[in-house]
Amino acid sequence: MTETTETKDILDCLADLSSDEVFTPPELVNKMLDLLPSKLFEDPNSRFLDPCCKSGVFLREIVKRLNKGLAKLDAYKDLNNRINHILEKQVFGISTTRLTSLISRRTLYCSKTPNGKYSVTNGFQNNDQGNIIWERKDHTWNAKGSCTFCGAPKSIYGNEEGKENYAYLFIHTKKPEELFNMKFDVIIGNPPYQLNDGGGTGQSSTAIYNLFVDNAKALLPRYLVMIIPARWYSGGKGREITNFRAEMLKDRRIRKLVDFENFRDVFPGVDLAGGACYFLWDRDNPGICEVTNYSKTGTSSVKDRYLGDYDVFIRSNASEPIVKKIKDLGYERYLSQRVLPRLPFGIPTTYKPQDSGVPCYFTQREGIRFVRKQDIDDKKNILAKWKFIVPKAPIAGQTDFTKPVAFFYTGNTRIAKPNEVCSESWLVLGAFDSEDEAISFRSYIFTKVVRFLLLQTVVSQNITAKNFEFIPDLLKYDRIFTDEYLCHLWGISPSEWDFIKSKIGEIEENKKQ
């Protein structure tokens, strides 16, 4: 019997670790590098920057390509001369922490310091950082107790000296161009995604990946390639992400976008709702964007699209024509205008239920309890109406959007009677004068076509009124709606209907909570 062994890249092992700072598998790095023109790797003057080094894998794979490309040039035929030139003049990094700086230097220079005994370069004799820099930065606290650069709360990150404070160098400077005092042809990397902001139950997070993208753009490289969470398409917390989404969607310099619905398909050891994407930003060649939908089994669709056709990005190439067909029918109102905002009656999840008072739906498990009448905020004057309510996190626990999504079923939705309210665990999708209207509206929401339109804006487990912006408000709810009726009304073709059915799960009448 012959025993075989399989070697595995140590950086693949790092990539399998779950962390706030997701390490990037070498295979993924090379797919991102494939977006760049090959001539960059044959130019001894091209410069590359990873502003968020964690393992050094981006720089290592770049060096491999440069080593091969420059070998074609007479001036760089000698291997030692070639490697010294590449490491000293062409590849640069900014580490996210002191530990990752040591890992990155070990990856790139084969030594934790570039001037160490076993370093593969002799060009950094008096420099123990080389071209991979790190320095401890402190947050700059404002009067509100948050960092002026990244928004981190002082209550969490203003800890004692010596502990990691996650004040990343690249986004904690007003002049990132002064970090190396040079222009870069390519900026590429996988930035940290978020910081705990202490909101809600303590697990709330504020995005910071957008700050890395913005600062990289500000340096005006010829090319920018980054992999980031895909939740910016239509979700994300705060005005900063809303502004970031608007800028990304109108930026014609984004020429390629590769989308993964399931985060695990690109980072096998990490689970993050909404999936991931990487993009190529081409400074000198604006135009239409090539959008690639990708799954674990490979590329599923490639299509040229303008990203800014709507104020959110529809990730699926196959879904976009269906949405457009319905939008082109010219409906004046959409359900985003009917659905009530968060806290429809001013009852937070932290409210302590009472033994008597106004009936209130709390969590699904708690069912109906009671609240004091004086605690109710009926700012929309719907207390006396029939309300159709759904959970604000209808797909809690589901992060894989490649699987059919149901959203709603009879067991997780309610028709609240007049003088019944709900806590912020629920969304009020519609309020009506009669029970028959509420039942009709529920049948509309339960159709697969409507739930498919909802899916196009969902990139996390929570939904808001904004997620209903592609669903027409039919205004008149006086029938039991069916998919057959809506497919005829909206001109949905048999092939489009087959696609819709593949994405949306069945309503399970007797599903338990």
Side-chain angles (χ1 to χ4, degrees), residues 131-305:
N131 286 338
I132 300 179
I133 64 172
W134 178 81
E135 66 178 74
R136 180 182 172 88
K137 293 288 289 186
D138 291 319
H139 294 283
T140 303
W141 307 116
N142 59 29
K144 296 181 180 180
S146 60
C147 178
T148 57
F149 287 102
C150 70
K154 186 176 182 179
S155 60
I156 296 177
Y157 295 97
N159 52 25
E160 60 266 32
E161 187 176 353
K163 289 190 176 181
E164 181 56 60
N165 62 0
Y166 299 100
Y168 300 110
L169 180 59
F170 188 64
I171 61 173
H172 284 77
T173 175
K174 293 181 179 179
K175 296 182 178 181
E177 66 276 7
E178 294 182 354
L179 293 173
F180 281 106
N181 289 315
M182 65 179 65
K183 291 288 187 180
F184 291 97
D185 296 279
V186 176
I187 297 180
I188 186 168
N190 177 15
Y193 297 157
Q194 59 195 25
L195 291 175
N196 181 3
D197 63 16
T201 61
Q203 301 301 314
S204 177
S205 299
T206 296
I208 58 171
Y209 60 85
N210 52 300
L211 304 179
F212 282 86
V213 175
D214 288 343
N215 272 16
K217 285 184 178 182
L219 292 183
L220 289 177
R222 290 169 62 193
Y223 303 98
L224 168 63
V225 183
M226 280 195 176
I227 183 162
I228 57 178
R231 59 184 59 175
W232 68 267
Y233 294 169
S234 62
K237 182 178 180 181
R239 180 176 298 175
E240 291 79 9
I241 288 297
T242 299
N243 294 339
F244 175 74
R245 175 167 49 254
E247 288 298 319
M248 290 286 282
L249 293 180
K250 74 180 184 181
D251 193 343
R252 295 291 177 89
R253 294 168 293 184
I254 298 178
R255 297 303 310 276
K256 294 187 179 182
L257 176 69
V258 182
D259 172 72
F260 298 81
E261 282 188 303
N262 186 357
F263 202 83
R264 288 182 179 272
D265 286 346
V266 63
F267 294 106
V270 185
D271 194 11
L272 188 67
C277 69
Y278 59 84
F279 63 88
L280 170 68
W281 182 90
D282 185 340
R283 183 191 67 194
D284 301 326
N285 295 286
I288 198 167
C289 182
E290 177 187 273
V291 177
T292 301
N293 295 144
Y294 197 91
S295 68
K296 196 169 187 177
T297 58
T299 301
S300 59
S301 174
V302 180
K303 185 177 180 180
D304 288 341
R305 295 166 53 188

Side-chain angles (χ1 to χ4, degrees), residues 7 62 100 163 239 375 427:
T7 60
I62 290 168
T100 59
K163 289 190 176 181
R239 180 176 298 175
D375 295 334
L427 280 181

Side-chain angles (χ1 to χ4, degrees), residues 49 97 238 264 285 396 415 429 437 440 472 481:
L49 171 67
T97 66
R264 288 182 179 272
N285 295 286
I415 292 181
L429 298 196
E437 287 178 285
S440 172
F481 289 93

Side-chain angles (χ1 to χ4, degrees), residues 287-446:
I288 198 167
C289 182
E290 177 187 273
V291 177
T292 301
N293 295 144
Y294 197 91
S295 68
K296 196 169 187 177
T297 58
T299 301
S300 59
S301 174
V302 180
K303 185 177 180 180
D304 288 341
R305 295 166 53 188
Y306 287 111
L307 302 184
D309 286 343
Y310 308 102
D311 62 358
V312 300
F313 177 63
I314 300 171
R315 72 191 316 163
S316 167
N317 290 332
S319 298
E320 192 272 337
I322 300 175
V323 174
K324 185 177 186 303
K325 175 182 288 189
I326 296 172
K327 290 284 287 185
D328 286 348
L329 294 175
Y331 284 93
E332 294 183 4
R333 279 179 56 91
Y334 290 81
L335 288 191
S336 54
Q337 298 165 272
R338 179 182 287 270
V339 176
L340 271 73
R342 174 178 169 268
L343 279 169
F345 294 101
I347 307 298
T349 54
T350 55
Y351 187 96
K352 183 179 180 180
Q354 305 296 302
D355 294 329
S356 62
V358 178
C360 177
Y361 289 92
F362 280 85
T363 64
Q364 293 181 55
R365 290 184 178 180
E366 287 181 299
I368 290 185
R369 304 290 292 278
F370 298 94
V371 298
R372 291 183 293 266
K373 187 173 183 179
Q374 61 266 33
D375 295 334
I376 296 172
D377 181 2
D378 187 25
K379 52 184 173 293
K380 297 296 183 179
N381 296 315
I382 62 167
L383 179 61
K385 294 181 178 289
W386 293 84
K387 285 83 63 177
F388 179 59
I389 64 176
V390 302
K392 74 170 185 178
I395 53 173
Q398 180 169 346
T399 58
D400 184 358
F401 290 100
T402 63
K403 298 177 180 178
V405 179
F407 288 114
F408 311 123
Y409 51 92
T410 52
N412 77 344
T413 62
R414 304 285 188 273
I415 292 181
K417 300 175 182 177
N419 298 311
E420 290 181 346
V421 298
C422 62
S423 74
E424 70 171 323
S425 295
W426 301 84
L427 280 181
V428 178
L429 298 196
F432 305 91
D433 293 327
S434 70
E435 183 179 14
D436 287 344
E437 287 178 285
I439 292 173
S440 172
F441 182 74
R442 179 180 63 183
S443 72
Y444 180 59
I445 298 297
F446 276 8

Side-chain angles (χ1 to χ4, degrees), residues 460-480:
S460 69
Q461 299 173 41
N462 291 312
I463 57 174
T464 67
K466 178 71 174 174
N467 293 111
F468 292 80
E469 66 175 284
F470 292 143
I471 305 172
D473 187 343
L474 301 184
L475 302 179
K476 191 174 183 181
Y477 298 97
D478 58 357
R479 66 169 67 228
I480 298 300

